[in-house]
Amino acid sequence: MSAKNLLLKQYGEVTVITINRPDALNALNPETLKELDETFSEIEANPATKVIMITGAGDKAFVAGGDISVMQPLNPLQARTVARQAQHLFNRIEHSTKIVLAAINGYALGGGCELALACDIRLAADSAKLGQPEINLGIIPGWAGTQRLPRLIGKGKAKELMLTGNMISALQAEKLGLVNKVVPDDKLFDTTLEMAQKIAAKPQVAVRLIKQAVDNGMEMPVDKAIDYEAELFALCFATEDQKEGMAAFLEKREPNWKDC
Ligand code: CO8
C-alpha cells in the first residue's frame, strides 16, 4: 500500500512502521490514523510478517500526541469520533495476532504514549520523554490512556502523570514499568529490531497464546484466568511445534519450527 504519513520496511519477518510527520513531531492526525488502520489490516493478513515494530521518523519524536491543530476546533460529537477512531486502532494493535514492539525514539506524549501503551513491549531511547500532558490542554487522555496506563503502572502513579501532565525521562519510565528497557539513542532501532527478530524466530502459535493468555487473563478473576491458561496450555499439545520442541530438546538439537 502507499501511505503518505507512514514508511514501511521489511526486515526478514519483521515489519517496521515508521510514523513519518517529523515536522509535526509525528503527531497523529485522522489521515495518519486511517493509514495506520489500513496498514494494520494488510500486515495482519500477511503471513510473511510475524512481528511489527513501530517507531517515529526523525530523532526528536516517537509521536508527540494527537494533532492539536486538528483537535482545537472540534465539537463534542467530532471529538468523540476522533477518540473512537484511535481507540479502535489501538485496540486492534493490542489484540493483533502479531506481537507489536514500540521503539520510542523521542517524545511519546498524550496519544503517542497511548499508542506505545497499546503495544506489547516498549523500548525507549535514553533521551526519550514520556507523558500524558492532556491536562495542560484542558482535556483528558482520550485514546485509552486513562485505562491502559493504570493497568500497567498502577492507579497512583498513573493519576500522578495524568494530573500533573509532567513529562518523565526514559529512565523514570523504566522504573515505573512504563517501558521495558532503556537503550542508548543510537542503539534503539537495532536493539528493538533484534528483540523483534528473536520473537519472530519462536514458534508462533505459542507466541500468540502467551499474548492471549496475558491480555485476556488479566481482564478475568484470577481463578478463571488460571482455568483459561490451562485450556491454552492444553491447546499447545495439538501443535506440531510442541512435539518438535520437546523432541529437539531430548535429541539435543535445534528445533525446526513449523508455526503450526
Ligand atoms: N500536534 C500538532 N502539532 C504538534 C504537536 C501536536 N501534538 N506536537 C508538536 N507539534 C508541532 C509544533 O506545533 C511545531 O510545529 P511548527 O514548527 O509548525 O510550529 C513542531 O511540531 C515542532 O514542535 P515544537 O516547536 O513545539 O518543538 P519543541 O522542541 O519546542 O517542543 C514538545 C517539543 C515539548 C513535544 C512540544 O511540541 C509539545 O509540547 N507538543 C505537544 C505535546 C502534547 O501536548 N501532546 C498531547 C496532545 S493531546 C493528545 O494527544 C490527546 C489524544 C486524545 C485525543 C482525543 C480525541 C479528541
Side-chain angles (χ1 to χ4, degrees):
M1 70 165 280
S2 68
K4 192 172 140 218
N5 299 318
L6 302 178
L7 301 171
L8 293 186
K9 197 159 177 198
Q10 198 69 21
Y11 293 81
E13 293 166 317
V14 177
T15 302
V16 177
I17 303 175
T18 303
I19 297 162
N20 187 31
R21 297 185 73 218
D23 292 347
L25 302 188
N26 304 319
L28 295 173
N29 58 8
E31 186 186 34
T32 311
L33 290 169
K34 185 164 178 279
E35 287 181 0
L36 267 171
D37 203 47
E38 288 165 0
T39 299
F40 251 83
S41 296
E42 290 188 14
I43 297 176
E44 193 75 45
N46 182 359
T49 297
K50 292 186 180 169
V51 177
I52 299 166
M53 184 173 141
I54 302 179
T55 193
D59 52 11
K60 258 187 101 172
F62 172 69
V63 168
D67 192 313
I68 298 169
S69 65
V70 173
M71 277 186 282
Q72 197 269 340
L74 299 183
N75 66 35
L77 290 179
Q78 293 165 328
R80 182 197 286 146
T81 301
V82 177
R84 285 296 190 198
Q85 184 188 13
Q87 285 175 348
H88 169 80
L89 167 66
F90 294 1
N91 284 346
R92 288 194 64 179
I93 293 173
E94 184 172 46
H95 299 299
S96 170
T97 56
K98 327 261 179 185
I99 299 298
V100 187
L101 280 73
I104 303 171
N105 57 313
Y107 292 112
L109 301 174
C113 190
E114 290 167 306
L115 169 62
L117 284 168
C119 297
D120 297 296
I121 295 174
R122 288 157 291 281
L123 271 66
D126 56 14
S127 68
K129 297 256 185 295
L130 296 91
Q132 297 288 160
E134 286 89 342
I135 190 81
N136 301 327
L137 299 166
I139 60 170
I140 71 169
W143 291 349
T146 62
Q147 301 310 308
R148 289 200 176 95
L149 190 60
R151 281 169 169 78
L152 188 65
I153 67 172
K155 269 165 70 166
K157 292 291 178 193
K159 283 182 184 169
E160 181 183 334
L161 274 180
M162 292 187 277
L163 292 170
T164 62
N166 284 347
M167 267 193 244
I168 57 170
S169 68
L171 270 178
Q172 287 172 300
E174 187 187 31
K175 274 196 201 133
L176 290 176
L178 175 49
V179 301
N180 295 60
K181 187 174 177 160
V182 180
V183 293
D185 289 11
D186 61 347
K187 300 272 187 307
L188 177 71
F189 189 91
D190 288 350
T191 307
T192 313
L193 184 60
E194 207 175 289
M195 190 185 281
Q197 284 171 332
K198 183 167 192 171
I199 295 168
K202 302 290 180 194
Q204 292 301 302
V205 177
V207 165
R208 270 206 294 283
L209 293 180
I210 287 171
K211 175 166 174 164
Q212 229 174 292
V214 173
D215 287 342
N216 295 339
M218 290 285 287
E219 301 304 318
M220 298 175 187
V222 72
D223 55 335
K224 297 276 175 283
I226 288 169
D227 288 349
Y228 179 59
E229 182 195 69
E231 295 309 316
L232 298 184
F233 178 77
L235 198 55
C236 296
F237 288 74
T239 66
E240 285 189 30
D241 282 343
Q242 175 269 324
K243 306 288 176 245
E244 169 63 9
M246 294 189 181
F249 175 81
L250 295 172
E251 292 160 18
K252 301 190 188 307
R253 62 173 173 81
E254 288 299 311
N256 179 19
W257 303 122
K258 298 273 189 332
D259 294 336
C260 61

